[in-house]
C-alpha cells in the first residue's frame, strides 16, 4: 500500500490507509474504524498500510495481511486478530492489551514499548521480533515461537506458557 502525505498542507505525517489525512486530522474516527473493518472483511490488501495512531478497539480481524504495516502508537486493545500476518510490522508503542493474536505471524516485527498485557499469543510466531521494553504481563504464550527475540527490559511477570521450547527453532 502506497504511503501518501497528509492532506493538510502544514502536516508532515502520512495519511492513514484508506484516507487522505493522518489520524490527527481525521474528523470522523468512528466511521474510519468501520471502514477499516469492512476493508479487512473484504480481504482488501492492507500490506504496508499506515495505521499510525489509529484507534480500533474490540474489532474482529481474521486472516488480514498487515505485513510491513505501521501500527506504531495505535490502539487495537481487545481486538481479535486470528491468523493475521503482522510480519515486519512497526508496532512501536502500540496498545495490543487484551488482544487475541492466535496463530499470527509477527516475525521481525518491532514491538518496542508495546503493551500486550493479558494478550493471547497462542501458536504465534514472533521469531526475530524486537520486544524491547514490551509489556507482556499476564500474556498467554502457549506454543508461541520466541526464537531469537530481543527481550531487553521486557516485562514478563505473570506471562503464561513460556518454556525452553518457545525459544528453539
Amino acid at each position: 500500500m502506497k504511503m501518501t502525505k497528509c492532506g493538510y498542507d502544514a502536516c508532515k505525517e502520512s495519511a492513514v490507509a484508506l484516507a487522505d489525512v493522518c489520524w490527527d486530522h481525521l474528523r470522523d474516527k468512528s466511521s474510519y474504524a468501520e471502514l477499516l473493518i469492512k476493508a479487512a472483511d473484504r480481504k482488501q490488501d492492507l500490506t504496508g498500510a499506515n495505521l499510525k495512531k489509529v484507534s480500533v478497539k474490540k474489532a474482529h480481524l481474521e486472516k488480514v495481511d498487515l505485513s510491513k504495516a505501521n501500527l506504531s502508537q495505535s490502539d487495537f486493545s481487545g481486538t481479535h486478530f486470528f491468523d493475521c500476518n503482522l510480519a515486519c510490522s512497526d508496532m512501536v508503542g502500540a496498545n495490543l492489551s487484551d488482544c487475541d493474536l492466535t496463530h499470527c505471524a509477527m516475525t521481525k516485527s518491532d514491538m518496542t514499548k508495546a503493551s500486550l498485557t493479558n494478550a493471547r499469543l497462542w501458536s504465534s510466531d514472533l521469531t526475530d521480533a524486537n520486544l524491547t521494553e514490551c509489556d507482556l504481563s499476564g500474556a498467554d504464550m502457549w506454543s508461541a515461537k520466541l526464537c531469537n527475540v530481543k527481550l531487553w527490559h521486557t516485562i514478563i511477570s505473570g506471562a503464561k506458557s513460556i518454556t525452553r521450547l518457545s525459544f528453539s527453532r
Side-chain angles (χ1 to χ4, degrees), residues 154-168:
T154 303
I155 301 167
I156 57 171
S157 61
K160 305 171 197 78
S161 307
I162 298 174
T163 66
R164 268 189 298 164
L165 227 81
S166 304
F167 296 94
S168 62

Side-chain angles (χ1 to χ4, degrees), residues 44-154:
Q44 185 170 337
D45 184 16
L46 294 170
T47 304
N50 181 30
L51 299 172
K52 183 178 181 178
K53 297 183 181 178
V54 167
S55 180
V56 179
K57 300 177 185 179
K58 298 182 180 177
H60 182 86
L61 303 172
E62 187 171 331
K63 297 184 187 237
V64 178
D65 189 351
L66 289 165
S67 58
K68 300 179 184 172
N70 182 354
L71 288 94
S72 66
Q73 302 170 47
S74 64
D75 186 354
F76 281 90
S77 56
T79 294
H80 177 91
F81 291 92
F82 179 77
D83 202 19
C84 290
N85 185 357
L86 294 155
C88 302
S89 292
D90 178 352
M91 295 186 256
V92 174
N95 183 0
L96 300 169
S97 58
D98 300 309
C99 280
D100 186 347
L101 292 147
T102 297
H103 204 262
C104 288
M106 296 188 282
T107 55
K108 298 182 181 175
S109 290
D110 189 353
M111 292 178 261
T112 301
K113 295 190 177 189
S115 175
L116 285 109
T117 57
N118 301 309
R120 178 185 293 168
L121 292 133
W122 291 359
S123 299
S124 288
D125 189 354
L126 287 90
T127 301
D128 296 314
N130 184 355
L131 302 174
T132 300
E133 297 183 25
C134 180
D135 189 351
L136 290 166
S137 55
D140 192 346
M141 312 286 286
W142 180 78
S143 200
K145 293 177 186 159
L146 300 170
C147 183
N148 205 37
V149 294
K150 291 182 182 109
L151 293 169
W152 188 76
H153 286 255
T154 303

